[in-house]
Amino acid sequence: MTLPFQPPPIVFPPPFDDGAAARLAATLDQLADALRSMAVRETDRAHATVVDWRGFTRRWFGAQHRHVIQTLTDVANAANAEAASVRQAAVAAANAQATAQAAFVAQQQYLAQQQAEALAAAAATAGP
Amino acid sequence: MTTSSARPDRLRDHAQRTQADVAVVRDAVATVARSAAVASDRCPGAPTSGTAGIRAAMALDEATGLARDVAQIGALFAAADANVSPGAIARSDDLALASVLATLYPGLSTGELSAPLDHQRGLEIGRQLEEATPKDAKAILDDLGSAIDDPEIAAGILAGLGADGLTHLVHEADRERSGLAFDLLDHQALLAHLNNILNRAATTVSDQANPLSPVRVATGGLDLALIARLGRTPLGREAMRAVVAPGSPTRLPTPVAVALAEALLLGPTSMDDLMTTDYAPGPGGVSDRGDRGSRAERQLIDLLANDPVAAYALEMRHAHGPSPTHTILARAHSQDDLARAAAVLDHVLNTAVERGWAQPWHSPRTGEVALLESTPVHRVLAGLIDVTIYRDSGQPTPPALSNVLARVVDTHLDFFAEDLESHRARDRASGVELTGSLTGTARFFEAVARDLPALASVAATVARPDEHGIVDMLAAHPPGTLDAHDIEEVLARERPLVDELRRGADAAGRKDDMRILLPVRAVTGLLPAAASAVGRAGGAAAGGPVGSLAGGATGRQVGTAVADPIRRSIESQVGHDDDDRELVAVHPSPYRAIEAAVGVMAEDDAWGQALRFTVDVPDIGVLRRLDLDDRPADRTRFDKWLALQDPVVAEVFTPLLTRH
C-alpha cells in the first residue's frame, strides 16, 4: 500500500548539553566578579601606596595604574557578555529541539491518518 | 630640579599583594578554560572559544608587569637614598633618581620615567642655542635628528633658551636675513625647527589641566610662563609669531592654546609692534613681517575655533576688561577670518550654555533676577550689538558668522529684546546717541538677516513699533539743535536693515511672511513720523523750520512748510554715500505721510483751527490699513475724505500723493 504523500523526515538539531553550558556561563560570571574585585582592591591599595609618593615616577604610576584598572574592568564586562551569549545559545538550542519534536509528532499523526484513510478506501474497493 | 619621594616599603607591599591577587584570578581563568573545553564539544552554537579567558590572562600579565615595575621603583628609591630607614620616606632629586634608574633598570628608563634625563638634555641644547649664531643654531637642531621630536627634550630646549634667548635668536635670524647674511632656506628651516619644538613641547602639558587657572609646571614639561613672558614685549611677541607662523593648523593642549592666544591675540597686532620697534623688516619689508604676524594670528584663531574649551576659557580668564571674543571678531578682516572668529563666538556661547552659565538668565520684565548680569557671557552677548561685525568695505558678512549670530539671537531672543530696549532707552535719555546705536543695531540685524534660520524671530524683535519712541525723543530734543538732516542721516543708516530683512526674507522664501513685512514697514514708517517730529519740534521753537512761518502765516504757507521737510526727506534718500554706493530710495506710504502732516497741522494754532473747522482729522486706522493693504473700501473712504477738503488742504497733500 502506497500513501498519497510521503513527507521528508524531520531533522533534529544536534544534542546540546544544558549542564555544560550552565557551568561555562557560571564560571565566566565568576571570572568577571573576580576581575572586578581585583580592580577594587587594586584601587584601594594604590591609595595607600601613593602616600608620600611624589615626582615623575608617581605620575608614571598614575597613568599605568589607570590603564590596568580600565583593562580589568573591560575584560570583566566582556566575560559577563560572553556568559550571556552562552545562556542565549542554550535557550536557542532548547527552542530548536522543541520545534523539531513538535514537527515530528505532527508528522506521525499525519502519517497515521493517511494510513487509516488508505485502509478504509481499500476495504471499500474490495466489497463485501 | 624638583625632588621625588616615596615609601619603598609600601611600593614593595603593593607589588606583593597585587601578585597574590593575580594568582587567585588566574585560578578563575583556568576554571573558565576547563569549562569552555567541556562545552566546546557539547554545546554547539555557544561561544566556547574562551575569548574572555584569554583577554583576562593578558590583563593579569599587565597587572603583574606593573607590580614588578613598582617593586623595582621601590628598590630604586631605596638605592637612591642611602639614608632611608625601613618604613621611612626616601627622597632624591629627579635627575639623580632618573640616572640611577637608567643604570639599574635600563629597560624601565623610557617615556615618562626617562623624562628628567630627556629634559636635562634639552636644557643643555637650549643653552647652546642661546650662545649660537642663527646659522650654528640651525646646524645644532639639524644634528638632533629625531630626538628633536621628543616632547621632554623639546620642552627642555625652550627652557634652556628662555624667553630672552628665544627672542634674541629669532631677532638675530631676522636681522641677518634682512642683511642677506642668512640664507633664506636656512632661515625658514630654523623657524620650522622652532615651530616643531614648540608643538612637541606643548604635548607635555596635560589637556585636562584647568585652563582657567595658571599652570605651574612641577618638573620638566613646557613652562607656560615662558609664553606669557614672550607676550609682554614687542620683540618677544614678534619672536613668538615667527615660531607659530610656519606650522599648519593643529590641535594643541587647551592650556597651551589659551596661553598663546593671550600672548598674541589680545594685545598689539604684529603691525603695531613693528611700527613701534626698530625690528629689522627683512628683505620683504614690513608687509612681509606683517604677513607672518597675520599667519600666526590666523593659526591661533584656528586653534580656538577647534577647541571649544579653549575659546571659553580665554573669555572667562578675562572677565574684566575687553572681551577677547570681541577683540578677535574686531581683528578679523577677511571672510575666512570672520568665519573662524564666528566659530570662536559659537564655542564661547555654547559652552556657556552647556556649563549652565547662560541658562539662569531671565528677562527682567518678568521680575526674575538676571543672574548673568555681571558675567563675561552677559558681556559677550551685550557687546555683540556694538561690535563691528559689518564691514564698511561693503564685504558681505560670511554665512558662518550670520548663522552663528542668527542662532545666538534665536536662543537669546529675550536678552536681545531687552538689550535693544535698553540701548534705545539710553538714547532717549541722552538724546544724542541715537545714530550710533541704531547703526549698530541695523548692522547687527543686517548680518543676521543674511541667511536666516531665525529670520522670523529676529524680525519679530525688530517689529517692536518704535517710531513713537523715536518721535518722542526727537520732539523732546532741545529746539533748534535738530533738523531734517539729522533725521535723514538716521533713516539713511536704517536702510540696510530694511533691505537686508527683505533680502533675507527672499532668501528664506518668506517674503510674504507678515512677521517680516511688518517690521520692514514699521521701519519704513519712521520717515514720516520723524518728519512730523521735526515739524513739531520746529513749531515749538522760534526760528525753527516751521515756527518761523507759523505766527500769522497763511494756511497755505504753513502747509507748504510742513510738506517740504517731508519731501526733502524723501528726495534725500536717493543718492550716493561716501563710498559711492547707491542709497536705496525710501518710498513711505502717502497715507502715513498725510497722517504725519495732519498731526503737525492740528498742533499749529492757525492751521489747526482751519483744519478742525473744515473736517475731522482722518481716521488713523483707515490710513494705516491703506498703507498695509490698500483695500478699495478704505481707498474710497480716503478719497471721499480728501474730496471734502478745502482746496488749500488738498494742495498740501498733493505733493505727498504724487510721490507715488
Side-chain angles (χ1 to χ4, degrees):
Chain A
M1 181 179 60
T2 304
L3 291 176
F5 171 68
Q6 193 67 35
I10 299 297
V11 178
F12 278 84
F16 190 93
D17 187 338
D18 289 336
R23 280 191 294 280
L24 174 58
T27 56
L28 283 165
D29 282 339
Q30 286 162 6
L31 173 62
D33 290 345
L35 289 165
R36 285 201 187 87
S37 297
M38 179 179 168
V40 169
R41 285 195 299 277
E42 275 290 309
T43 302
D44 291 346
R45 217 166 16 243
H47 285 143
T49 304
V50 298
V51 172
D52 297 320
W53 193 354
R54 304 279 183 273
F56 66 98
T57 56
R58 164 72 181 83
R59 288 194 295 278
W60 162 85
F61 173 72
Q64 299 290 317
H65 183 258
R66 275 193 299 277
H67 174 72
V68 166
I69 296 299
Q70 187 62 53
T71 304
L72 291 173
T73 307
D74 289 347
V75 175
N77 292 338
N80 282 141
E82 202 167 301
S85 296
V86 170
R87 292 191 178 96
Q88 280 176 358
V91 171
N95 287 341
Q97 194 73 27
T99 302
Q101 183 63 34
F104 178 77
V105 170
Q107 191 183 65
Q108 293 305 308
Q109 288 172 345
Y110 168 79
L111 291 173
Q113 184 183 354
Q114 290 293 313
Q115 193 164 22
E117 288 173 359
L119 285 172
T125 304
Chain B
M1 186 56 68
T2 55
T3 301
S4 284
S5 67
R7 292 180 179 272
D9 294 346
R10 292 199 179 205
L11 271 57
R12 189 182 58 245
D13 287 350
H14 180 101
Q16 289 173 347
R17 289 172 192 271
T18 296
Q19 282 163 347
D21 260 354
V22 166
V24 171
V25 183
R26 281 201 196 282
D27 287 345
V29 173
T31 305
V32 167
R34 284 194 297 274
S35 300
V38 171
S40 64
D41 291 336
R42 303 181 188 176
C43 304
T48 57
S49 60
T51 306
I54 294 167
R55 287 184 61 189
M58 292 167 66
L60 294 175
D61 288 345
E62 280 186 24
T64 304
L66 178 59
R68 184 194 60 235
D69 293 346
V70 167
Q72 289 180 345
I73 298 288
L76 171 71
F77 269 101
D81 186 352
N83 298 321
V84 66
S85 54
I89 302 175
R91 291 186 173 84
S92 169
D93 79 55
D94 286 350
L95 189 57
L97 191 69
S99 299
V100 177
L101 175 68
T103 304
L104 290 182
Y105 308 109
L108 256 184
S109 183
T110 59
E112 179 98 39
L113 292 178
S114 68
L117 294 176
D118 297 334
H119 194 81
Q120 181 64 25
R121 186 180 172 198
L123 274 174
E124 288 161 7
I125 297 166
R127 286 169 191 145
Q128 289 175 30
L129 296 177
E130 197 179 8
E131 305 292 328
T133 64
K135 191 173 182 179
D136 290 344
K138 188 249 175 196
I140 291 169
L141 294 173
D142 281 347
D143 289 345
L144 273 177
S146 61
I148 203 172
D149 295 336
D150 184 286
E152 278 300 338
I153 291 178
I157 290 173
L158 290 177
L161 254 176
D164 291 343
L166 183 63
T167 301
H168 178 73
L169 178 59
V170 174
H171 193 187
E172 279 300 297
D174 283 350
R175 193 182 63 77
E176 290 190 9
R177 173 68 205 131
S178 70
L180 301 180
F182 195 28
D183 180 74
L184 172 64
L185 293 179
D186 286 347
H187 181 259
Q188 289 176 343
L190 175 62
L191 295 181
H193 274 317
L194 293 174
N195 175 266
N196 182 39
I197 288 170
L198 173 67
N199 288 336
R200 300 288 179 174
T203 63
T204 61
V205 177
S206 169
D207 210 19
Q208 305 301 316
N210 181 3
L212 295 180
S213 55
V215 176
R216 290 181 180 279
V217 179
T219 176
L222 174 64
D223 185 0
L224 296 185
L226 173 93
I227 296 173
R229 279 197 295 278
L230 286 165
R232 290 191 196 111
T233 65
L235 292 182
R237 287 191 290 272
E238 192 53 27
M240 185 52 77
R241 290 183 190 107
V243 171
V244 168
S248 54
T250 181
R251 170 85 170 81
L252 291 178
T254 294
V256 181
V258 172
L260 288 170
E262 282 180 338
L264 296 185
L265 289 182
L266 308 185
T269 64
S270 174
M271 202 55 80
D272 292 339
D273 282 339
L274 291 171
M275 292 302 177
T276 56
T277 64
D278 59 351
Y279 208 95
V286 169
S287 65
D288 201 25
R289 291 286 177 270
D291 287 347
R292 186 168 78 182
S294 298
R295 281 199 305 277
E297 286 197 4
R298 198 166 297 131
Q299 295 218 23
L300 295 179
I301 296 176
D302 259 343
L303 280 179
L304 298 176
N306 291 320
D307 187 346
V309 176
Y312 180 71
L314 182 66
E315 186 67 35
M316 298 298 277
R317 273 175 57 82
H318 296 267
H320 306 289
S323 156
T325 307
H326 291 172
T327 304
I328 290 168
L329 275 169
R331 279 191 180 190
H333 294 297
S334 70
Q335 298 284 291
D336 288 346
D337 288 350
L338 271 174
R340 291 185 184 94
V344 175
L345 169 66
D346 205 20
H347 290 328
V348 169
L349 295 174
N350 284 342
T351 308
V353 171
E354 284 169 11
R355 298 191 172 203
W357 279 100
Q359 288 301 331
W361 194 88
H362 297 290
S363 167
R365 276 188 305 193
T366 66
E368 296 181 67
V369 178
L371 295 179
L372 276 178
E373 197 67 36
S374 60
T375 68
V377 175
H378 179 279
R379 179 184 58 169
V380 172
L381 291 177
L384 279 180
I385 287 180
D386 290 328
V387 78
T388 307
I389 55 176
Y390 178 78
R391 305 289 106 178
D392 283 334
S393 63
Q395 287 182 0
T397 305
L401 182 56
S402 293
N403 287 339
V404 171
L405 291 175
R407 255 197 330 275
V408 168
V409 173
D410 199 32
T411 307
H412 305 278
L413 199 56
D414 278 352
F415 177 91
F416 282 101
E418 295 292 344
D419 203 61
L420 284 173
E421 284 299 303
S422 66
H423 267 66
R424 288 170 174 166
R426 283 203 301 276
D427 291 337
R428 281 195 286 273
S430 65
V432 293
E433 296 175 5
L434 176 71
T435 302
S437 71
L438 271 188
T439 301
T441 306
R443 287 178 174 180
F444 178 74
F445 285 111
E446 183 179 334
V448 169
R450 288 189 180 277
D451 187 11
L452 280 193
L455 180 62
S457 302
V458 172
T461 306
V462 183
R464 205 177 294 273
D466 206 35
E467 64 264 42
H468 296 302
I470 291 177
V471 167
D472 290 345
M473 188 283 291
L474 293 172
H477 205 273
T481 60
L482 194 66
D483 60 21
H485 179 74
D486 295 321
I487 309 301
E488 289 158 13
E489 190 176 339
V490 170
L491 295 173
R493 290 171 188 273
E494 284 287 334
R495 298 313 312 161
L497 168 62
V498 178
D499 295 338
E500 286 305 323
L501 280 171
R502 281 181 174 143
R503 275 199 284 271
D506 269 343
R510 301 164 86 163
K511 64 180 179 182
D512 297 325
D513 191 329
M514 288 305 288
R515 288 174 297 179
I516 297 161
L517 290 180
L518 283 174
V520 169
R521 285 170 174 164
V523 174
T524 306
L526 286 173
L527 179 62
S532 168
V534 172
R536 283 207 301 248
V546 180
S548 60
L549 295 171
T554 67
R556 184 188 304 263
Q557 286 173 310
V558 173
T560 303
V562 168
D564 276 353
I566 298 173
R567 189 165 52 245
R568 282 203 309 273
S569 293
I570 295 170
E571 289 166 351
S572 69
Q573 301 304 312
V574 185
H576 295 80
D577 64 9
D578 293 342
D579 296 329
D580 206 31
R581 286 179 302 186
E582 187 177 352
L583 291 172
V584 179
V586 175
H587 297 292
S589 155
Y591 310 108
R592 299 292 293 274
I594 288 170
E595 178 193 338
V598 168
V600 173
M601 290 176 185
E603 288 186 16
D604 180 85
D605 285 344
W607 184 254
Q609 280 184 3
L611 187 66
R612 280 197 298 275
F613 279 120
T614 308
V615 291
D616 290 333
V617 173
D619 184 338
I620 289 176
V622 169
L623 293 173
R624 289 190 173 170
R625 283 203 300 276
L626 279 168
D627 178 29
L628 288 175
D629 300 319
D630 202 14
R631 289 189 300 187
D634 289 324
R635 173 66 73 88
T636 301
R637 285 186 64 184
F638 175 75
D639 288 343
K640 282 182 181 175
W641 174 81
L642 195 60
L644 290 174
Q645 297 308 304
D646 186 285
V648 176
V649 175
E651 192 173 337
V652 171
F653 295 144
T654 299
L656 302 177
L657 289 169
T658 54
R659 295 300 305 173
H660 305 271

